[in-house]
Amino acid sequence: MSTVLVTGAAGFIGSNFVRLLIEQRPDVSVLAVDALTYAGNLANLSEFSGNESFHFHRVDICDPDALHPLFEAGVDMVVNFAAESHVDRSIQGASAFVQTNVAGTQTLLDLARQHNVGRFLQVSTDEVYGSLGPEGAFSEASPIEPSSPYSASKAAADFLVFAAHKTFGLDTVITRCSNNYGPYQFPEKLIPLFVTNLIAGEKVPLYGDGLNVRDWIHVQDHCEAILLILEKAAPGSIYNVGGDCEKTNIDIARIILSHLGHDESMIRRVKDRPGHDRRYAMDFSRLTSDLGWRPRIEFAKGMGDTIDWFVNTPEWWKTIKTGEYLTYYDKQYGRGGVVGADR
Ligand code: NAD
Ligand code: TYD
C-alpha cells in the first residue's frame, strides 16, 4: 500500500482530490494534512472519518517539526495543494501568501528530500503566466509574469520546486491549471459567491466592466488530470491543465442569474480589482498528446450541477457565512486554539 500525503486537503480542490483518490485507488493510504485556516473546512472531509485508508492531521506546512513524524512514518508521494489562494486577500496583505505558498512549499521540499519521497507534485496555477491580450493562449513555455502577490508567490514556489529537481534530483512535477468550479468551493470566489448571494437574496458584486476572461474547468476534471500526472508524468515535467472554456465574468453572472431566476438588476457594479488580469487561456496540448487527457465535463452541465449543489447544500455554506464552521475541528477533536490569520 503506498502513502500519498495530500496537503491543503480540507480546502476546495484538495478535498475533491481526496475523494477521487479514495474512490479510485483503494490501494492508497491518504495522509491528509491541513492547517485549517479560514479556507479549510473539515466538513469537506467528514465522509471519510472512520475510513481505514484515510488519516487527517491538523498541521501547518511551514512547521517542519510537526511534519517530520508524518514523513518519518513513510510517504511515497506528496501532492501540495496547501496555499493561500485568494487574489483579493493577497492585495490586502501578502505576508501569509509568502509564508505558506513560498516558505511552506520549501519546507515540504526539504522534508521530501530528506525522507526520499518518490514524487512531489506541486499544484500551481495559470496565473503565474500573467495576463493575455485578446488572442493566443499560455503554453508551458510562456514567460512567468505574475501580476498579483498571490500569483507571484505561486510562481516563486514553482521555481523552488523546479530547483529541487535540478539541483537535488528530487522527482517533481508541476501542474498549472485554470479557474476551477464545483462543489465545496469557498464562497469568496466568483461562482460560489454569486450563487450563495443570490440564494440569500443579495446582489452580486461584478468588478470593473465585467469583461475579464477566465478559462473554467470543473474541479473533477482538474483532479483527474492531477492523478494522471502524479502517476504517469516524467520527472521534472510541467503540465498546463485547462477547460477549453473561456467566459467573461458577465457571461458567468448571466448564467447564474438565469439558472436561479433572477435578472440583471441583481448585479452590483463595483470598483475593479487593482492589477486585474484581463484574460487567461490555456494551451494544454502537451497533456493531451503525452498522456491522453482532456476535460470531460461539459460546462453547461457542470455549472448547472454546481449551482444545484449549492442550492441543495445550504447547511455547508451557511455555516461558512456565519463562521460556525471554524469551530468544527474543536467540536470533533476537542482541541482549542486558533490557526491562521483570520481565525
Ligand atoms: P482553498 O483556499 O480552498 O484551499 C487551500 C487549503 O490550504 C485550505 O484548506 C487551507 O486551510 C490550507 N492551508 C492554507 N495554508 C496552509 C498551511 N500553512 N498549512 C497547511 N494547510 C494550509 O484553495 P483551492 O482553490 O482548493 O486551491 C488549492 C490549490 O490549487 C492552491 O495551491 C491553488 O493555488 C491551486 N489552484 C487553484 C485554482 C482554483 O481555481 N481554485 C486553480 C489553479 C490552481
Ligand atoms: P476569482 O474567483 O477571485 O478567481 P481569480 O481572480 O483567481 O481568477 O475571480 C474570478 C474573476 O471574477 C476575476 O476576473 C475577478 C472577478 N470577480 C468579480 O467580478 N467579483 C467578485 O466578487 C470576485 C470574487 C471576483
Side-chain angles (χ1 to χ4, degrees):
M1 197 173 217
S2 66
T3 298
V4 179
L5 176 75
V6 180
T7 71
F12 164 47
I13 309 176
S15 62
N16 277 285
F17 182 73
V18 167
R19 192 165 294 106
L20 181 75
L21 260 189
I22 287 181
E23 280 168 12
Q24 298 199 356
R25 296 292 180 272
D27 53 331
V28 163
S29 173
V30 178
L31 194 52
V33 310
D34 200 294
L36 300 180
T37 69
Y38 81 92
N41 185 354
L42 268 192
N44 300 357
L45 298 170
S46 58
E47 72 205 75
F48 310 120
S49 71
N51 185 319
E52 280 181 5
S53 54
F54 174 80
H55 303 275
F56 177 80
H57 297 267
R58 185 184 199 175
V59 171
D60 187 325
I61 61 161
C62 304
D63 182 350
D65 295 338
L67 287 164
H68 182 78
L70 303 181
F71 278 89
E72 194 70 18
V75 171
D76 298 294
M77 299 188 194
V78 173
V79 184
N80 184 26
F81 291 96
E84 289 293 334
S85 67
H86 193 40
V87 173
D88 294 323
R89 286 178 185 261
S90 79
I91 296 168
Q92 300 289 314
S95 69
F97 288 73
V98 175
Q99 183 62 15
T100 287
N101 302 2
V102 186
T105 299
Q106 186 59 46
T107 302
L108 290 171
L109 289 167
D110 290 341
L111 285 158
R113 225 160 40 85
Q114 285 159 21
H115 294 88
N116 300 313
V117 166
R119 167 145 287 190
F120 187 105
L121 188 148
Q122 173 71 3
V123 181
S124 184
T125 165
D126 61 353
E127 301 193 29
V128 298
Y129 297 121
S131 185
L132 286 169
E135 302 296 328
F138 298 126
S139 78
E140 291 84 354
S142 296
I144 303 297
E145 290 176 338
S147 311
S148 70
Y150 161 67
S151 53
S153 69
K154 293 295 291 186
D158 282 14
F159 288 135
L160 290 171
V161 171
F162 199 66
H165 173 69
K166 278 263 198 175
T167 306
F168 302 110
L170 186 69
D171 181 331
T172 64
V173 284
I174 297 172
T175 60
R176 296 187 179 135
C177 189
S178 57
N179 284 63
N180 285 219
Y181 69 95
Y184 301 101
Q185 187 166 29
F186 196 83
E188 65 185 350
K189 305 281 166 53
L190 177 75
I191 290 175
L193 178 75
F194 279 25
V195 172
T196 56
N197 273 17
L198 289 171
I199 299 171
E202 291 162 27
K203 292 192 178 188
V204 296
L206 188 65
Y207 296 166
D209 63 7
L211 296 178
N212 301 67
V213 174
R214 298 292 182 263
D215 169 43
W216 291 96
I217 180 172
H218 194 279
V219 65
Q220 176 84 20
D221 278 328
H222 182 195
C223 289
E224 286 176 6
I226 290 172
L227 185 55
L228 184 67
I229 293 164
L230 182 69
E231 294 178 339
K232 298 275 193 305
S237 54
I238 298 175
Y239 282 102
N240 283 353
V241 184
D244 215 1
C245 180
E246 286 182 55
K247 302 275 178 218
T248 61
N249 294 336
I250 184 90
D251 288 337
I252 297 288
R254 286 183 179 134
I255 290 166
I256 299 170
L257 287 164
S258 127
H259 193 95
L260 292 173
H262 287 284
D263 62 29
E264 291 191 27
S265 65
M266 290 302 277
I267 295 178
R268 186 162 56 91
R269 298 277 185 168
V270 299
K271 205 160 144 263
D272 208 355
R273 171 189 282 173
H276 196 173
D277 285 337
R278 193 62 174 169
R279 176 171 166 261
Y280 303 142
M282 291 301 257
D283 171 356
F284 55 85
S285 55
R286 177 186 283 180
L287 183 53
T288 305
S289 59
D290 285 3
L291 300 179
W293 179 91
R294 58 181 74 251
R296 293 187 299 121
I297 298 178
E298 193 251 325
F299 183 72
K301 167 89 172 85
M303 266 296 279
D305 289 350
T306 298
I307 298 170
D308 291 342
W309 185 86
F310 283 94
V311 170
N312 296 324
T313 321
E315 64 287 355
W316 182 83
W317 54 268
K318 281 188 177 162
T319 60
I320 292 177
K321 291 214 172 193
T322 61
E324 198 197 320
Y325 76 110
L326 294 172
T327 63
Y328 189 94
Y329 182 90
D330 304 336
K331 279 190 196 145
Q332 290 270 106
Y333 296 87
R335 264 175 43 190
V338 167
V339 170
D342 297 290
R343 301 192 75 196

